[in-house]
Amino acid sequence: MSGPGDPAPPSDRGALPRPLAVLLVEDNPGDAELMAEMLHDEIPDVASFVTRHVTRLADARAELERSLVDVVLLDLSLPDSRGLDSLQTVRSAAPDVPVVVMTGLADDDVALRAVQAGAQDYLVKGRDSSGAVRRAVRYAVERQRLVRAAQQAAAARDEILAVVSHDLRNPIGTIGMCAQALLDPEPVSSENAREMGAIIERSCDWMLRLISDLLDVTRMEAGMLSLQLEQLSVAGIVASLLEMYGPLAARRGVSLLASVSPDLPPVRGDNDRLFQALGNLVGNAVKFTQSGGQVSITVEPAGQVVGAGDDGILVHVSDTGPGIAADAQVHLFDRFWQARSAHRGGAGLGLAIARAIVLAHRGTISVRSTLGAGTTFTCRFPPSAESRAAPAI
């Protein structure tokens, strides 16, 4: 069921991006005609509302299932339902669609209980003006949008808290065990003390990376992460990637190779952020490639690749790992998502951050993978002239 549309700020004569779809559920022909006239008696030849009228609750449910509805105007006394049962039925059929109930002159108590039960507003037949009716409809849609945004924010908060509590528990536990060993009355050897110190340092680094990733995602989603743009060569970033991830690849028995075309056009971008984005791709590739496998970084002008266009550069990060199932690939860039078969080694933010950074450089990122045959991520970055106005993210 589609949720309500997002109107312009409520105003009795405010312009809307499209007419609001109103489902009028009223069995009294006179009241239905009056309510429709109130909605449409606004600006000549300008349709701010499109109204569909049904007389029974069963017909309302059918209309909600098959049509886009932005708001429901609901009479609480219908031939096949009465009172708050009508409201609950509509809300169950379309929980994201706001409902404005319509009552008689002596039913203020019923209207109040309807609002407490989830209606966004109420109208009293024969008392409210046409302007009040239009405002009630628009305000109901806007309030529902705000409610939905608040619910999404609360869900995101709970998701972050769950990830943080889960992923910080292990390193904190490790640090605690090392601290207990170091504080034990029986002294540990200098070699063991140094090993425990190294474990504590790695655990602290891991927690700092998690916190940094969470802050980056929050800034990106709020549009507050700016880019420090400069003319740069991607070849320099690739050299830094080899220096950073070469030792990790060697420890895992993975070959890390790079092939950089000598005639690359310059790119205008943020060196640190591009290193972060490509580093997330390379780090994942190394982590999920078995010993004896290979990870390669290939950079080439887009014009040398058929179908890639004539401008910009392509960066491919390929591995010989286990590959990614087709049904999992659509979720790869979601926050906190990790394949069920993957060993959990992070919060699942790396690819989401990489995608956001690439898009901020007016680039694109795609993945091609086959189970048992490895994975390739491809980033396309436009040449310098196209990227001068790269936005903040």
Side-chain angles (χ1 to χ4, degrees), residues 39 167 291 390:
L39 285 173
D167 287 3
S291 178

Side-chain angles (χ1 to χ4, degrees), residues 247-264:
L248 173 62
R251 288 197 301 271
R252 294 182 59 87
V254 175
S255 299
L256 178 58
L257 309 174
S259 174
V260 180
S261 176
D263 53 350
L264 293 174

Side-chain angles (χ1 to χ4, degrees), residues 162-178 199-200 202-204 206-207 210 343-347:
V163 169
V164 171
S165 62
H166 178 278
D167 287 3
L168 289 183
R169 185 178 293 115
N170 287 339
I172 289 175
T174 300
I175 291 173
M177 287 189 294
C178 290
I199 292 173
I200 292 173
R202 288 196 300 270
S203 298
C204 289
W206 195 98
M207 289 189 290
L210 172 61
H343 171 70
R344 188 174 183 90

Side-chain angles (χ1 to χ4, degrees), residues 137-202:
V137 170
R138 288 179 180 161
Y139 283 133
V141 172
E142 180 64 13
R143 280 194 295 269
Q144 185 72 14
R145 185 190 66 80
L146 294 175
V147 167
R148 191 166 65 252
Q151 291 171 339
Q152 292 170 345
R157 177 204 62 202
D158 293 343
E159 187 178 34
I160 289 174
L161 289 175
V163 169
V164 171
S165 62
H166 178 278
D167 287 3
L168 289 183
R169 185 178 293 115
N170 287 339
I172 289 175
T174 300
I175 291 173
M177 287 189 294
C178 290
Q180 289 176 357
L182 292 172
L183 293 173
D184 194 283
E186 184 176 339
V188 299
S189 66
S190 298
E191 182 179 350
N192 286 339
R194 284 194 298 271
E195 182 179 349
M196 291 179 185
I199 292 173
I200 292 173
E201 183 178 37
R202 288 196 300 270

